[in-house]
Amino acid sequence: MSNSEKIALITGASRGIGKAIALTLGRLGIRIAGTSTTEDGANSISKYLNQIGIEGRGYVLDVAEDESVASCVSKVVEEFGHPLIVVNNAGITRDNLLLRMKSAEWADVINTNLSSLYRINKIAIKGMTKARWGRIINISSVVGASGNAGQTNYSASKAGAEGFARSLAQEIGSRGITVNSVAPGFIQTDMTGMLSEAQVKDLLNKIPLKRLGQPEEVAEVVAFLVSESAGYITGETIHVNGGMHM
Ligand code: NAP
């Protein structure tokens, strides 16, 4: 199957890592359905794709809501066909020490980062199974493996995402579908923009490559995993963290 026959659904593609993934896969000729929680965000995705001649558009999606997932995927199927590539990138943080963590902070992170994988992948694998080809990539995080004080909710969601990928990989490998995780370290996006200068300085001491990563450096790994060259890799987590966790 050529790239132009493939549709990639990329959640959280309005900015940061998701935008870099949309642009990188789009430049390879893959058609892109990128999502944002807002109409403005969805329009901005259509604009940046179309500006450089990538076929695709933005959709509104809240991965935390069953109906929103069902309606977004059915619109994509209607307009482009079944997405055979799904990149579960949308994610949030609500950091707090466990002693102070409110139940909403716990629930929002688990619902957005982890339960979303149940909602989206369950629908998406139907089309992949029919096509007997598919690629699912979950964007997890280095802290899923290393842990991080103040992020029990986020670390649990990301470790859960990796376990989810390993189990699903075993369920659907026989259909030619691979399921992998990409675990970024600290990447320069709005999410890490909230860190203070002192926090960044402290972080750099722990990163052998002495810099934050760029969204494109994560996107290139996703591009490899969705390619035919990665057809024998499944259930794997690839870390992109400048060596901060080995
Ligand atoms: P970001 O700049 O904060 O962007 C987050 C994206 O997710 C936005 O496009 C946002 O859409 C979307 N989003 C948020 N909540 C959503 C929801 N309920 N439903 C659908 N979309 C939603 O984040 P980022 O830094 O690029 O991170 C992307 C992924 O990489 C996340 O899963 C994050 O956990 C992971 N990660 C990031 C880092 C890092 O250092 N940056 C490190 C490790 C892992 P809107 O357009 O609506 O805002």
Side-chain angles (χ1 to χ4, degrees):
M1 201 185 308
S2 71
N3 276 350
S4 62
E5 291 170 88
K6 294 172 190 160
I7 294 110
L9 172 62
I10 302 161
T11 64
S14 59
R15 52 203 164 90
I17 294 171
K19 179 176 182 180
I21 294 170
L23 286 169
T24 302
L25 300 192
R27 286 190 182 109
L28 294 172
I30 295 167
R31 288 181 289 160
I32 304 297
T35 79
S36 165
T37 57
T38 65
E39 203 64 66
D40 279 355
N43 291 337
S44 81
I45 294 169
S46 303
K47 198 166 163 200
Y48 77 65
L49 291 174
N50 299 337
Q51 246 165 14
I52 57 166
I54 294 173
E55 201 183 328
R57 78 169 183 85
Y59 292 85
V60 175
L61 168 67
D62 181 350
V63 297
E65 297 287 340
D66 289 343
E67 304 81 55
S68 178
V69 169
S71 113
C72 175
V73 176
S74 69
K75 274 186 208 148
V76 173
V77 171
E78 214 171 275
E79 288 172 29
F80 288 104
H82 286 283
L84 299 187
I85 297 170
V86 171
V87 184
N88 293 292
N89 165 78
I92 58 167
T93 52
R94 297 283 183 269
D95 297 354
N96 221 336
L97 296 173
L98 186 64
L99 270 174
R100 294 189 198 137
M101 190 175 285
K102 297 187 178 65
S103 65
E105 291 169 331
W106 172 265
D108 286 352
V109 169
I110 298 297
N111 193 20
T112 305
N113 297 2
L114 182 58
S115 304
S116 58
L117 304 182
Y118 163 80
R119 292 184 189 101
I120 296 178
N121 293 331
K122 188 173 173 187
I123 298 184
I125 59 178
K126 289 177 189 156
M128 296 181 194
T129 302
K130 260 191 219 145
R132 301 195 79 77
W133 193 93
R135 296 280 191 267
I136 295 172
I137 317 285
N138 297 336
I139 305 299
S140 64
S141 166
V142 63
V143 305
S146 66
N148 195 21
Q151 292 198 307
T152 49
N153 50 1
Y154 185 75
S155 307
S157 73
K158 296 303 191 177
E162 292 178 16
F164 178 104
R166 286 188 286 271
S167 297
L168 185 60
Q170 293 181 36
E171 289 183 19
I172 59 181
S174 63
R175 313 291 161 90
I177 305 167
T178 65
V179 190
N180 291 291
S181 306
V182 174
F186 285 80
I187 308 297
Q188 216 149 21
T189 68
D190 292 347
M191 193 177 264
T192 48
M194 327 169 184
L195 298 171
S196 69
E197 219 171 288
Q199 283 173 311
V200 172
K201 202 170 159 207
D202 186 43
L203 258 178
L204 295 184
N205 281 330
K206 298 179 188 145
I207 303 175
L209 289 177
K210 297 294 169 211
R211 63 177 178 84
L212 300 190
Q214 292 303 313
E216 293 72 24
E217 292 174 306
V218 178
E220 287 298 337
V221 176
V222 174
F224 167 64
L225 285 173
V226 307
S227 73
E228 297 299 339
S229 309
Y232 203 52
I233 300 174
T234 196
E236 196 51 74
T237 299
I238 300 189
H239 284 261
V240 186
N241 62 33
M244 72 175 284
H245 179 75
M246 297 183 184

